[in-house]
Amino acid sequence: MTLALDPAAQDLLFREAHTVNAFTDEPVSEEQVQAIYDLVKYAPTAFNQSPLRIVLVRSAEARERLVPHMAEGNQPKTASAPLVAILAADNEFHEELPALFPHAPQIKDVFFSERGTREQAAGFNASLQAGYFIVGIRAAGLAAGPMTGFDPAGVQKEFLDDDHTPLMIINIGKPGEDAWKPRSPRLDFDQVVTTV
């Protein structure tokens, strides 16, 4: 059985895509990011809660505030990437549910009145959206360098508020020279899938 997606698109989005550690200095435009979001906003989330929030770090001043919160090995590439995105979960996503889930607006209070429940749901569903965001970056012909090596409390204090939990940081741009390491092995189908 073959996939419906063109083989070249399969390569672009998956087989030939790598986590990138070095970028050219070609800028990433606001229009490119808008196009990425307009594609990936259709990612599935429970009750269409859509809790992902994105902070684009463009200015030199903002970059200087971010880099010290990155793990040492992630600092140089974050300092030099054309664009950096902080991906966060909005723990108050439920305020948008009457608009996002209009056929059952009571869901906001029935399921998400407790902060702990919202934090768990926001973290899981925003992580789903983050995976789609990475694929969207690739679909735009750009490369992504997603990282979880950073100080979450420091990034939250510097760029977010108590209602937003940082999940990952993604460097975005065109791959530069020696942009990636050789691909690491992956598990085979029969190591992952069990039929019952």
Side-chain angles (χ1 to χ4, degrees):
M1 178 177 175
T2 60
L3 299 173
L5 191 64
D6 176 85
Q10 295 173 36
D11 288 343
L12 176 70
L13 300 178
F14 298 101
R15 286 190 287 262
E16 299 300 323
H18 290 261
T19 294
V20 173
N21 295 306
F23 297 89
T24 69
D25 59 2
E26 183 178 332
V28 177
S29 71
E30 203 71 22
E31 292 76 20
Q32 286 172 299
V33 178
Q34 177 77 51
I36 292 165
Y37 176 74
D38 286 342
L39 181 64
V40 305
K41 68 183 178 184
Y42 299 107
T45 57
F47 300 110
N48 197 33
Q49 60 189 249
S50 307
L52 181 68
R53 302 296 180 263
I54 303 166
V55 176
L56 298 178
V57 180
R58 287 195 181 277
S59 72
E61 179 270 332
R63 194 73 59 104
E64 288 174 10
R65 291 168 38 217
L66 175 61
V67 168
H69 298 291
M70 303 302 297
E72 186 176 344
N74 292 334
Q75 290 181 358
K77 55 190 171 185
T78 303
S80 62
L83 180 64
V84 181
I86 301 169
L87 275 55
D90 181 359
N91 297 308
E92 297 298 311
F93 68 86
H94 68 306
E95 297 296 344
E96 304 293 338
L97 283 177
L100 292 172
F101 209 66
H103 54 285
Q106 72 277 11
I107 293 298
K108 170 184 183 267
D109 299 315
V110 172
F111 288 110
F112 299 111
S113 61
E114 299 294 325
R115 174 69 180 227
T117 301
R118 290 196 306 273
E119 287 179 355
Q120 184 177 13
F124 177 79
N125 286 281
S127 294
L128 283 175
Q129 289 182 281
Y132 274 78
F133 188 71
I134 292 168
V135 173
I137 291 168
R138 294 171 175 179
L142 299 169
M147 301 166 290
T148 56
F150 65 93
D151 171 23
V155 169
Q156 183 178 37
K157 182 177 179 182
E158 196 70 46
F159 293 95
L160 303 166
D161 58 31
D162 291 340
D163 291 331
H164 294 82
T165 303
L167 301 173
M168 72 177 65
I169 295 173
I170 303 180
N171 293 329
I172 304 169
K174 293 281 189 180
E177 192 173 328
D178 298 321
W180 47 72
K181 299 173 185 171
R183 187 181 296 284
S184 297
R186 298 298 195 267
L187 295 175
D188 290 330
F189 179 84
D190 60 357
Q191 293 176 283
V192 175
V193 178
T194 302
T195 302
V196 294

